[in-house]
Amino acid sequence: GQQLNQSPQSMFIQEGEDVSMNCTSSSIFNTWLWYKQDPGEGPVLLIALYKAGELTSNGRLTAQFGITRKDSFLNISASIPSDVGIYFCAGQLADGGSQGNLIFGKGTKLSVKP
Amino acid sequence: NAGVMQNPRHLVRRRGQEARLRCSPMKGHSHVYWYRQLPEEGLKFMVYLQKENIIDESGMPKERFSAEFPKEGPSILRIQQVVRGDSAAYFCASSAGLSLYGYTFGSGTRLTVV
């Protein structure tokens, strides 16, 4: 099946640090979405990207839709403790699949440095 | 306006029993999507329904799994003769139309097969 390679798998943050994660694929996507999932909850949409090259911010979060349409990144600036959780990228393939068929990455787990 | 409501939140079934998972979409949403999430994994698309119609079931196992979204009432994901490998979190999402805007997930049903 189609895959999204999300990295890093996990990372530790200290309050105030900037965080960066990305997703890549060999396939072309029409849409990229970034979600955050807290334990025991469903994913919550953070940012949606609909056009190649698009750069969108939501507060301290910034995401970009890669110009090749095969990748996307998410940056979190000045991290705070409540940023911990699992971040997922998801995309809608340009070729194949219905509009609701999102492909998810395996997630990036953000934890606080001890 | 309540979000996407899923129940039960937790469901325990013995091998061979049937599991029924319910999803009530957000008010005004007529498109429903079901996903499965295994531990430490991203979400995997199963099926997309629009009132009374299955639009895309490409991610649904061919046997034992079925989904419906009747004219009245919630969407139901039904798993017959459950096996241990069916243990997972099952998430439902809904949207208003042919756009991923407003694509909102519920809190999920955690199925444990013993």
Side-chain angles (χ1 to χ4, degrees):
Chain A
Q2 300 293 340
Q3 280 202 334
L4 285 182
N5 301 307
Q6 186 169 351
S7 65
Q9 275 189 307
S10 62
M11 55 195 311
F12 288 90
I13 58 172
Q14 268 186 336
E15 191 171 350
E17 283 183 339
D18 294 345
V19 171
S20 193
M21 61 191 78
N22 68 80
C23 271
T24 59
S25 176
S26 56
S27 301
I28 292 174
F29 286 81
N30 278 336
T31 304
W32 285 96
L33 305 166
W34 284 93
Y35 288 89
K36 180 176 183 245
Q37 185 176 29
D38 291 325
E41 296 296 327
V44 174
L45 182 64
L46 300 173
I47 292 182
L49 302 155
Y50 299 103
K51 288 195 295 191
E54 182 179 354
L55 183 71
T56 298
S57 291
N58 177 8
R60 294 179 296 106
L61 277 60
T62 302
Q64 184 159 32
F65 191 147
I67 201 74
T68 63
R69 297 169 65 193
K70 293 182 179 181
D71 62 336
S72 176
F73 72 74
L74 174 71
N75 286 342
I76 305 173
S77 63
S79 55
I80 59 178
S82 61
D83 288 335
V84 301
I86 302 178
Y87 292 78
F88 289 99
C89 62
Q92 181 189 35
L93 281 169
D95 183 19
S98 59
Q99 60 132 40
N101 186 344
L102 294 181
I103 312 293
F104 276 77
K106 290 193 174 184
T108 294
K109 185 175 182 180
L110 234 56
S111 306
V112 176
K113 268 184 193 168
Chain B
N1 181 22
V4 177
M5 303 300 292
Q6 288 189 251
N7 67 82
R9 287 296 301 269
H10 299 274
L11 182 61
V12 179
R13 283 288 176 265
R14 295 188 185 278
R15 278 178 295 170
Q17 288 185 319
E18 179 180 285
R20 277 184 181 240
L21 288 62
R22 286 177 290 276
C23 169
S24 296
M26 284 183 70
K27 191 175 179 181
H29 284 190
S30 59
H31 299 243
V32 163
Y33 317 86
W34 285 93
Y35 287 78
R36 176 163 61 178
Q37 185 179 33
L38 296 172
E40 312 296 320
E41 296 282 327
L43 279 70
K44 293 276 195 300
F45 170 81
M46 297 180 76
V47 62
Y48 160 33
L49 308 104
Q50 197 180 352
K51 278 291 183 182
E52 298 186 275
N53 293 305
I54 295 175
I55 307 300
D56 180 357
E57 54 182 352
S58 58
M60 193 89 108
K62 294 285 184 273
E63 295 177 352
R64 302 189 297 109
F65 284 72
S66 61
E68 62 176 14
F69 188 16
K71 192 176 177 181
E72 302 291 338
S75 175
I76 306 285
L77 180 68
R78 185 177 172 212
I79 312 172
Q80 294 178 291
Q81 299 171 342
V82 295
V83 300
R84 290 239 170 93
D86 296 333
S87 296
Y90 291 83
F91 290 96
C92 165
S94 72
S95 70
L98 292 174
S99 163
L100 294 179
Y101 182 77
Y103 197 105
T104 304
F105 282 89
S107 295
T109 294
R110 274 132 193 95
L111 173 66
T112 303
V113 179
V114 297

